[in-house]
Amino acid sequence: MKVRVRWNRHTLALLAIVAGMWYAAEAQSNGAAHLIALLTAMMGLLSWLHARANLRGLNVRLVGARPAAQDAARGIPVELRATGALPVCGLEVFVMGATTPVFLERVPAGEAVLVELPPPVRLASGVLQLMVRSVYPLGLFSAECVVETTWVRRVHPKPAGDLPLPAPKASRQGDAAAGSSHHGHAGGGDDFAGLREWRAGDSPRHINWRAAARGGPLMVKSWSNGVQGVVVLDWNNLTLDESARAGQMARWMEICESDGRPYELSLPGCIIRAGHGPAHLRRCLDALSAQLSADAGSAPSSELQAGKADSVLSSEQSTFLPARPLLFLSLALLLAILPLRGFIASSSLVVCALCLVWRGVLRMAVPHMLIRVGVIIAGATAVYVDYGEPGGMEPGIALLLVLAGAKMLESRTPREFQVLALIGWFLAFCAVLLENHFARSMWTVLVVLCITACMVRFRRSIPGVREPLRVTVILFAQALPLAVLLFFVFPRGLLDLGTALGRSRFGESGIDSVLDPGNIAKVAKSSDVAFRVRFPDGILPANDTRYWRCLTLWHCEGLRWTRGGRLGSAPLLPRPKPGGNVRQIIDLEAHGKRWLPALDLPLMARLHGEALAPEFDQSLVSPSAVQNSERFEVVSHFELPTGHDQVRDLPGSHRQAALQLPTVISPTLRQLTDYWKSVTQNDEQVVQIALNYISTQGFSYTLEPGDYQGPQSLEDFFLRRRVGFCEHYSASFATLMRMAGVPSRVVVGYLGGEFSDHNGGYLIVKQSDVHAWTEVWLKSYGWWRVDPTAALAPDRLNIDLGAFLAGGAEEAERQRRTLWGRSSLRLRLWWDSVNYDWQNQVIDYNQESQRSLLERVGLRQGKLVLLIPSIAFVLLGALLVTWWLRRPARHADPWRRVWQILCQRLAKAGVPPCAACEGPLAFAERVATEHPELAAQMGRLAEMYVSGRYGGADVFAVFQQGVHAWRIKPRAVNRKMADAGR
Amino acid sequence: MLPATTALQASQQIATIIERVSQIILGKENVVRLAVTCLLARGHLLFEDQPGVGKTMLSQALAQALGLGFRRVQFTSDLLPADILGASVYDRDTAAFHFHRGPVFTHVMLADEINRATPKTQSALLEAMEEGKVTADGTTHSLPEPFFVIATQNPSSQIGTFMLPESQMDRFLMRLALGVPDRSAERALLEGQERRELLRTLQPAMSFLELQQLQTWTRAVYAAPALLDYLQDLLAASRVQGHGLSPRAGLALLAAARASALLNGRVMVLPEDIQAVAVVVMGHRLEHAADGMRGSDLARQLIAETPVP
């Protein structure tokens, strides 16, 4: 059977989606997105192979009696047999010309299923053709094949019609004699014309009573009135349409038969001479049905030739909705859009979720079109209001959500839900674009599998989840290795996209360039990873030097500080000593701003292969906003200046900026700082006295100090409430230093970091490690770091914030000792290392990685050369999958299996194959007659097979050995056949 | 299971019978083999053929070659059941009723033109065939063992006949058709001796005890599960549209296949045996299902379409 796989709209939709995914992945240079795109593409390709192989292993044949003439309404029994090792699923079978197909859920492997097909309506007569169609497994391709049969179905027209019989032509008497032997109108005429069996309605006067008295059956004497006229039934004389004409003529023939008149049939194609009797009747009816099919056959025969039968309503288009699959699809789509919360404006999410619940969970009917249009307009307006402009990734995704919701509202048939499932694939993919965690990628893969299972479920009708899950898992297991191989090999950067598709809105976590009281505390509440640091030199800085510098703030407004303006060139730093430098490789998570963290004090950095020098305030700034995770290298000097080096003086502009104070200063604070200035001789002592003040005056450190607002906030904090967070301390300290005449500035960054053993040892710095401290300018030291929090709570340096706030160092130590503490710590560190690996190996796998891979192998050509191994892998994978799918069924009976091997060997050698209905001995005899050189061995093996399988003898081992050991030489056989043929 | 030597010996004996009968009926060895198969399977035979092809001759030859008693009854439309089974006659001497046995009390009974008789007479014979005994006046007289009925009917003359309905044709194991011999066989017939002379001089090849032994051996031929699968596949294929072959047909097929296997000298039944007897065993049982075809054509189609498992 020739199987054709046709693509339909869904194939195009799949291609579009894969192209969209690849484009997004290239634009964002996101390896996980590439992987998902490849996985989707491979699943689509494999579903093509599965669709093809599904119908390939099917044998369709007619069964039962195939009479010469049949009742028009009689069903046609057909047997479908699955000859491969896999079951055949999701079939639609129908006869060409019928209106409704029969849906067959599954034909188990190696077994046969019998169906009765509704008879064709339009092509009542003619050669019967069957069509088998399937959109299994995913509905992306439709496979179909036309089964030709040799049965010419003939349907005799039913007698119908009320027109009177045409008058017999008396002039045709000569022909009447030919058929006058059997007719006999019981009543008329006086020539005895023989006996016939009595029928109900015959007059009792004509019964042959003598014979009946002797015990014979009731016979009726028939009389003829000599030569009778012949009734001529002419096709062209009637003015009705074809089927009515045929019915009328059949009725006339019936009347003629019962009357005993000979009749002649005159059709456009043939003329049947006058006659009478059942054989004549049958001939005439056959001719009539042939006439009917010839007339009706012209239009549909072209359809037959084209092999299309799209007019038959497929079960894909039926509007009956099964409840459970729809529920599953809605749930899967809800799972798909769940991770988008937090990145996409909630209005579109809510719209989409409501539509899904309305239609899928509550199973309400499709609402009116106005409502649907209203939903689209409302959703689009909400997107516009939220985002302002339609370009960019998030607005696009939000619009897609609204459209998906609208599509859900209007979907009725499985075909439309298929489109929705494809959109669901894309929505699940979007989550990977927005978040880079390993967990998110796994979630996406899981959701894709769920949606695929829903797609399979829609194509089948058995309830339950096991079968769709099994099919999905098989597809996934076959697609995953291919996708992984292509991930490494398929050339990236083919599209050469200049702009990166970044995220426009990030989470609320992340340092801002404004230090407002309270906003550092907000950052500290999140436990997301800010960045990870590796030390390639093996030098790990001590706890108290793990200050990570991000921003410096110059402009003072009391408790609130901002960046201030950019100042001129930086003062020269003390010449870096050979020791005390440490190299770091930092993997920074995207935060949308331009600062880069570095260990205090950064000397120089390297980002994207280019050197980056620190700014005027010794912090690192990236040339463009960090919208994706970045990796860069920094060399820092972490030892504090000793005061013995030559330090240049602070430039005037810097000094002026570093002493700027807000316009309104609290007089009490002014008094305090004046007092400090008065009791000290130099700046260092001022610093020291201020630190003493903080540590002795009852200040406390908490994450929830309450609100400080207004111009009095500094005084409020420093003199009255004395409860605050590092931001309060650093801001107030720097302000007071400025008031005391010491140039100072606030530095915002991170403090600490958790050490993890995995991946060769690295530090994890989280958002909760955010910290703010101050720097003061001291004459012989330069900018000197002062951490007021350290003065207040020295433990803070050793443990992270959460532990510090929970109970301090002892509590943390105790926690670490418990089993729960240890195992949760280990788990946490392991999970972080998994994420780190995922980031490094998968997400950051891009063009450069490919190039380095190529160079390692030894090739230096351009990236297009990678297309060759990609295509090779795909072809190899497709071949393997096809071979697996097409494997022939293994017979349960071991005897039969070995016999099959023998038949295959013989077939390869040129012997015509064993027919299905041929017994073993008959086959052996045939082989012996056609190929005498094989006769002896064949006879022996056949004897063994027969005595073992049908006789119960225990010769299986010998038989198997004999079959496997027999090497049939194909050439000898072929030459013999060629000789015989010549 | 039957030992191989027994099977060989049986096949030789059967070959002798066939050879003897084939001397009388020329050119129809296949039909003779099938007829002997039927007798071995303890079934009754139905010949449906045009007149004059040698049905009576064949029946007589069979009976003679097997050493069995032979009676012939010509059925007419006024035949009564008592004419076949026998009647109780009042004997004045003993002042009692004696049952005079009818022609059915023999080994081989030829019921010629069974379709001419009234249904009442037909059913009397068929009942006797089935039961194996005749009950009259309260006493039961059993028919001799082995008992065969060979019935004939002419399919073409429909007028004035009562054709056997399918339910009663089912009781016959096989339906055979002799047909006209080919040219060389007919030539030999024309040139050769008078058939009746040959029949008179035909020597029996065995006694009826030996026949009974052969019948016992036939029943002992082994049918493997794989073969029964094939048999059941055939039966299921016939039942696709409406009711097809009955379980009685399955039993009949198996019995005939066993006889065919023994005839070929085998101790087990093979699919080839089933295929060899299937058309004649199934043909008359499938007339109702044939729907425009002949029953034997449908049987051939079933065989061709059912794969051997």
Side-chain angles (χ1 to χ4, degrees):
Chain A
M1 292 200 316
K2 200 167 158 347
V3 178
R4 254 178 30 158
V5 180
R6 285 163 58 195
W7 50 267
N8 50 20
R9 274 177 293 188
H10 298 144
T11 322
L12 293 177
L14 173 76
L15 286 175
I17 282 180
V18 167
M21 285 184 183
W22 189 259
Y23 174 81
E26 284 279 315
Q28 217 188 42
S29 194
N30 188 340
H34 280 113
L35 189 61
I36 306 263
L38 285 170
L39 191 66
T40 314
M42 285 304 109
M43 284 182 82
L45 176 69
L46 283 175
S47 83
W48 181 76
L49 290 173
H50 275 250
R52 205 140 170 262
N54 190 35
L55 285 191
R56 248 215 118 147
L58 190 66
N59 255 358
V60 182
R61 64 187 181 97
L62 295 173
V63 289
R66 294 207 268 288
Q70 212 198 26
D71 189 11
R74 195 115 182 250
I76 297 170
V78 165
E79 182 199 66
L80 297 115
R81 178 178 288 274
T83 54
L86 292 172
V88 180
C89 312
L91 296 175
E92 259 177 18
V93 195
F94 57 92
V95 180
M96 291 283 222
T99 45
T100 49
V102 168
F103 183 76
L104 207 58
E105 158 62 44
R106 180 186 158 99
V107 180
E111 290 175 29
V113 167
L114 220 56
V115 283
E116 180 138 338
L117 300 178
V121 168
R122 282 176 294 125
L123 297 170
S125 303
V127 176
L128 204 69
Q129 277 187 334
L130 304 171
M131 167 85 110
V132 180
R133 255 199 325 220
S134 164
V135 289
Y136 174 86
L138 293 183
L140 298 171
F141 298 91
S142 81
E144 58 187 39
C145 70
V146 176
V147 181
E148 303 277 351
T149 66
T150 50
W151 184 28
V152 179
R153 187 164 175 263
R154 221 179 284 129
V155 173
H156 288 166
K158 276 199 158 35
D162 295 321
L163 294 179
L165 198 61
K169 292 196 171 44
S171 58
R172 308 281 291 272
Q173 289 169 13
D175 302 317
S180 65
S181 56
H182 283 288
H183 64 243
H185 183 58
D190 43 26
D191 283 348
F192 180 68
L195 292 171
R196 64 172 169 81
E197 214 178 302
W198 178 83
R199 282 198 296 261
D202 291 333
S203 156
R205 290 177 54 223
H206 298 284
I207 295 182
N208 187 4
W209 289 112
R210 263 204 208 121
R214 263 182 288 189
L218 288 174
M219 305 297 278
V220 164
K221 297 180 201 161
S222 58
W223 310 92
S224 74
N225 45 11
V227 167
Q228 274 192 321
V230 166
V231 176
V232 176
L233 305 171
D234 198 347
W235 178 264
N236 298 321
N237 275 351
L238 288 169
T239 49
L240 311 159
D241 70 65
E242 271 112 29
S243 49
R245 262 191 238 189
Q248 181 63 69
M249 295 186 77
R251 160 80 73 217
W252 282 340
M253 290 193 311
E254 209 180 47
I255 298 176
C256 287
E257 279 289 320
S258 65
D259 284 352
R261 279 176 201 285
Y263 53 93
E264 171 182 313
L265 195 66
S266 163
L267 295 173
C270 65
I271 293 182
I272 298 185
R273 291 280 155 217
H276 196 269
H280 183 75
L281 176 65
R282 175 159 245 156
R283 254 203 315 272
C284 292
L285 282 174
D286 283 348
L288 261 184
S289 60
Q291 178 70 33
L292 259 185
S293 69
D295 281 341
S298 50
S301 66
S302 57
E303 199 180 284
L304 281 182
Q305 274 158 16
K308 294 199 210 316
D310 292 327
S311 53
V312 176
L313 195 67
S314 157
S315 66
E316 286 283 299
Q317 293 160 310
S318 76
T319 51
F320 169 70
L321 278 183
R324 283 283 192 83
L326 192 53
L327 180 66
F328 290 149
L329 185 63
S330 311
L331 288 177
L333 286 172
L334 280 172
L335 282 180
I337 65 176
L338 200 65
L340 299 176
R341 160 185 62 96
F343 295 99
I344 308 288
S346 50
S347 55
S348 43
L349 276 174
V350 162
V351 163
C352 187
L354 277 180
C355 294
L356 286 174
V357 165
W358 177 263
R359 192 96 171 88
V361 178
L362 301 176
R363 294 203 67 208
M364 301 293 213
V366 169
H368 194 261
M369 172 143 109
L370 287 179
I371 301 183
R372 300 204 300 264
V373 171
V375 161
I376 296 183
I377 293 180
T381 324
V383 167
Y384 186 71
V385 161
D386 273 326
Y387 287 100
E389 35 110 52
M393 195 165 71
E394 276 95 349
I397 298 180
L399 262 177
L400 191 62
L401 282 170
V402 169
L403 288 175
K407 182 77 186 163
M408 182 69 172
L409 280 183
E410 76 164 4
S411 293
R412 258 184 268 251
T413 66
R415 188 177 281 186
E416 289 167 7
F417 283 111
Q418 172 81 349
V419 175
L420 200 59
L422 289 174
I423 296 180
W425 267 359
F426 195 80
L427 285 175
F429 168 78
C430 290
V432 170
L433 291 178
L434 297 170
E435 265 186 295
N436 280 343
H437 305 314
F438 177 68
R440 183 61 63 218
S441 311
M442 287 304 109
W443 174 270
T444 302
V445 170
L446 211 65
V447 170
V448 164
L449 288 184
C450 283
I451 296 181
T452 313
C454 289
M455 280 160 80
V456 176
R457 178 73 179 79
F458 264 105
R459 303 251 121 52
R460 313 200 21 167
S461 54
I462 37 165
V465 294
R466 240 177 41 140
E467 269 305 313
L469 277 180
R470 193 184 64 91
V471 173
T472 311
V473 165
I474 289 179
L475 271 177
F476 179 65
Q478 289 170 344
L480 189 64
L482 269 178
V484 167
L485 279 175
L486 283 181
F487 174 77
F488 287 115
V489 170
F490 198 81
R492 305 283 178 84
L494 280 179
L495 301 175
D496 261 339
L497 294 168
T499 59
L501 191 76
R503 288 184 268 152
S504 54
R505 210 208 290 209
F506 295 89
E508 298 303 313
S509 70
I511 303 178
D512 218 349
S513 48
V514 172
L515 185 73
D516 252 330
N519 65 0
I520 296 275
K522 210 164 16 161
V523 173
K525 291 211 176 84
S526 151
S527 59
D528 290 339
V529 170
F531 55 93
R532 299 183 178 90
V533 193
R534 269 187 296 144
F535 297 95
D537 297 333
I539 309 170
L540 195 66
N543 276 348
D544 55 355
T545 56
R546 284 189 203 166
Y547 281 89
W548 305 94
R549 187 192 192 84
C550 295
L551 295 172
T552 52
L553 306 175
W554 291 77
H555 184 82
C556 170
E557 290 165 28
L559 270 188
R560 183 175 195 272
W561 282 67
T562 56
R563 270 208 92 177
R566 202 171 182 282
L567 298 172
S569 62
L572 265 183
L573 296 168
R575 177 170 300 231
K577 291 211 269 281
N581 282 359
V582 60
R583 206 154 61 99
Q584 316 125 51
I585 297 180
I586 301 187
D587 289 292
L588 174 65
E589 298 286 324
H591 53 71
K593 321 257 179 11
R594 287 175 58 191
W595 50 260
L596 298 173
L599 192 64
D600 209 18
L601 209 54
L603 299 174
M604 73 97 72
R606 182 169 281 274
L607 172 70
H608 293 155
E610 287 181 6
L612 198 66
E615 292 281 307
F616 70 96
D617 54 356
Q618 289 87 42
S619 62
L620 286 172
V621 172
S622 155
S624 58
V626 178
Q627 296 204 316
N628 297 314
S629 350
E630 297 285 0
R631 171 180 291 191
F632 56 97
E633 202 180 301
V634 183
V635 177
S636 300
H637 183 81
F638 63 85
E639 279 182 7
L640 288 174
T642 48
H644 297 309
D645 311 304
Q646 201 59 20
V647 176
R648 237 208 252 173
D649 215 8
L650 192 61
S653 53
H654 288 222
R655 180 175 286 274
Q656 201 181 7
L659 284 174
Q660 170 263 333
L661 282 169
T663 41
V664 177
I665 302 288
S666 151
T668 348
L669 286 176
R670 173 65 72 182
Q671 270 176 11
L672 184 61
T673 49
D674 288 339
Y675 167 67
W676 285 347
K677 262 207 300 223
S678 61
V679 298
T680 55
Q681 280 107 5
N682 55 18
D683 289 342
E684 286 101 333
Q685 289 180 356
V686 174
V687 172
Q688 198 53 49
I689 204 172
L691 286 177
N692 285 342
Y693 187 88
I694 289 178
S695 53
T696 53
Q697 292 298 320
F699 284 84
S700 60
Y701 190 83
T702 170
L703 202 50
E704 307 266 351
D707 246 346
Y708 286 101
Q709 273 170 4
Q712 303 296 320
S713 53
L714 183 59
E715 195 183 328
D716 207 8
F717 164 71
F718 205 75
L719 298 175
R720 285 188 280 275
R721 284 163 57 180
R722 292 181 174 168
V723 163
F725 196 54
C726 57
E727 50 198 333
H728 305 94
Y729 287 103
S730 51
S732 52
F733 187 81
T735 313
L736 286 167
M737 284 298 103
R738 282 193 181 183
M739 279 162 44
V742 182
S744 63
R745 61 191 184 186
V746 173
V747 183
V748 179
Y750 294 88
L751 170 64
E754 189 169 5
F755 184 72
S756 166
D757 260 333
H758 300 82
N759 291 39
Y762 65 98
L763 271 182
I764 310 170
V765 178
K766 301 203 185 57
Q767 298 288 2
S768 56
D769 292 327
V770 67
H771 197 56
W773 62 94
T774 47
E775 278 179 345
V776 295
W777 177 268
L778 299 173
K779 214 160 30 178
S780 36
Y781 294 89
W783 284 107
W784 176 268
R785 177 173 67 226
V786 178
D787 193 358
T789 319
L792 174 66
D795 280 342
R796 171 74 185 86
L797 292 178
N798 292 325
I799 50 180
D800 68 275
L801 182 68
F804 177 73
L805 291 173
E810 299 88 36
E811 179 66 27
E813 195 54 38
R814 203 179 60 78
Q815 275 284 357
R816 211 173 301 142
R817 291 257 167 78
T818 63
L819 184 66
W820 169 250
R822 272 208 307 276
S823 36
S824 72
L825 178 74
R826 234 203 308 247
L827 199 66
R828 215 160 24 89
L829 290 180
W830 173 78
W831 185 246
D832 191 82
S833 87
V834 165
N835 268 320
Y836 194 31
D837 269 333
W838 184 253
Q839 182 77 34
N840 282 343
Q841 310 291 347
V842 176
I843 301 212
D844 287 340
Y845 188 86
N846 55 6
Q847 280 190 35
E848 282 80 37
S849 325
Q850 266 190 337
R851 206 172 298 141
S852 64
L853 182 73
L854 271 185
E855 277 169 14
R856 224 184 314 163
V857 176
L859 299 162
R860 275 176 205 285
Q861 284 90 342
K863 46 192 176 219
L864 283 179
V865 79
L866 282 171
L867 275 177
I868 300 175
S870 317
I871 295 178
F873 279 135
V874 168
L875 282 178
L876 186 68
L879 277 173
L880 281 174
V881 167
T882 313
W883 173 82
W884 181 79
L885 286 173
R886 292 231 199 122
R887 61 185 195 270
R890 279 173 61 94
H891 277 275
D893 194 342
W895 282 98
R896 184 71 189 168
R897 244 180 291 167
V898 183
W899 182 254
Q900 217 179 17
I901 295 175
L902 177 64
C903 291
Q904 278 168 359
R905 290 249 185 100
L906 286 170
K908 262 192 283 201
V911 175
C914 174
C917 63
E918 209 174 5
L921 281 187
F923 177 57
E925 268 171 40
R926 185 157 64 88
V927 170
T929 44
E930 288 177 8
H931 303 276
E933 74 277 7
L934 304 171
Q937 182 72 348
M938 185 72 207
R940 261 201 300 275
L941 286 174
E943 282 294 328
M944 269 196 276
Y945 176 67
V946 154
S947 65
R949 188 145 190 249
Y950 295 105
D954 191 14
V955 291
F956 182 66
V958 185
F959 175 62
Q960 199 175 23
Q961 212 178 2
V963 168
H964 286 304
W966 190 19
R967 296 260 166 265
I968 310 167
K969 293 200 204 19
R971 264 176 293 137
V973 172
N974 281 339
R975 210 180 308 133
K976 196 133 194 119
M977 278 179 62
D979 287 339
R982 226 178 290 138
Chain B
M1 209 164 91
L2 217 56
T5 46
T6 320
L8 273 171
Q9 182 192 343
S11 78
Q12 274 160 2
Q13 284 178 311
I14 301 168
T16 325
I17 302 171
I18 295 176
E19 188 232 320
R20 298 252 170 106
V21 174
S22 299
Q23 287 168 354
I24 313 281
I25 310 292
L26 296 167
K28 291 288 166 187
E29 183 166 331
N30 200 30
V31 181
V32 174
R33 285 172 79 93
L34 286 171
V36 171
T37 310
C38 179
L39 295 188
L40 284 176
R42 307 174 82 224
H44 306 284
L45 202 48
L46 177 66
F47 273 112
E48 202 173 85
D49 219 335
Q50 61 193 59
V53 293
K55 304 191 284 283
T56 319
M57 193 63 61
L58 176 57
S59 321
Q60 274 186 305
L62 264 177
Q64 192 138 347
L66 290 168
L68 301 170
F70 180 76
R71 287 277 194 93
R72 177 194 172 149
V73 178
Q74 185 72 33
F75 278 45
T76 56
S77 47
D78 51 0
L79 200 68
L80 293 171
D83 296 333
I84 300 174
L85 302 177
S88 293
V89 172
Y90 183 70
D91 190 359
R92 226 168 353 146
D93 297 332
T94 53
F97 279 95
H98 291 288
F99 181 68
H100 279 244
R101 298 182 159 198
V104 80
F105 285 88
T106 180
H107 289 294
V108 179
M109 181 180 136
L110 174 64
D112 230 341
E113 301 198 43
I114 193 173
N115 54 339
R116 283 206 178 277
T118 53
K120 186 169 171 186
T121 319
Q122 286 173 355
S123 47
L125 173 63
L126 293 166
E127 199 185 314
M129 271 162 58
E130 201 62 24
E131 304 268 315
K133 51 185 187 283
V134 170
T135 306
D137 293 342
T139 45
T140 313
H141 311 269
S142 358
L143 296 171
E145 279 282 321
F147 175 65
F148 298 110
V149 169
I150 304 181
T152 65
Q153 67 177 11
N154 188 350
S156 46
S157 64
Q158 310 281 5
I159 302 179
T161 63
F162 301 93
M163 294 295 286
L164 277 177
E166 289 100 26
S167 54
Q168 292 182 335
M169 284 228 276
D170 207 9
R171 297 185 196 266
F172 290 95
L173 184 73
M174 283 189 193
R175 178 179 72 173
L176 294 175
L178 265 171
V180 174
D182 61 355
R183 195 174 172 93
S184 51
E186 199 167 19
R187 184 55 158 266
L189 182 66
L190 292 168
E191 283 179 348
Q193 265 185 296
E194 170 97 23
R195 299 293 118 187
R196 286 186 216 292
E197 290 296 321
L198 282 174
L199 199 57
R200 258 210 303 276
T201 55
L202 184 66
Q203 293 300 318
M206 59 170 65
S207 66
F208 75 91
L209 286 170
E210 281 169 343
L211 179 63
Q212 278 180 319
Q213 174 70 274
L214 279 177
Q215 283 176 343
T216 318
W217 284 342
T218 306
R219 279 201 293 281
V221 173
Y222 176 65
L227 184 91
L228 295 174
D229 283 336
Y230 178 52
L231 183 58
Q232 287 195 292
D233 284 345
L234 267 179
L235 296 176
S238 74
R239 291 172 189 154
V240 159
Q241 259 177 324
H243 66 102
L245 293 171
S246 57
R248 186 199 281 160
L251 287 167
L253 197 48
L254 186 58
R258 284 192 156 126
S260 169
L262 192 68
L263 202 141
N264 287 319
R266 283 194 287 266
V267 298
M268 64 235 158
V269 187
L270 293 187
E272 283 87 343
D273 297 317
I274 295 196
Q275 286 173 351
V277 298
V279 177
V280 292
V281 171
M282 299 201 297
H284 55 292
R285 297 175 219 259
L286 286 173
E287 285 293 346
H288 66 279
D291 195 20
M293 291 198 287
R294 301 206 56 216
S296 37
D297 291 330
L298 180 58
R300 264 184 224 108
Q301 187 188 309
L302 282 176
I303 303 251
E305 284 179 351
T306 311
V308 177

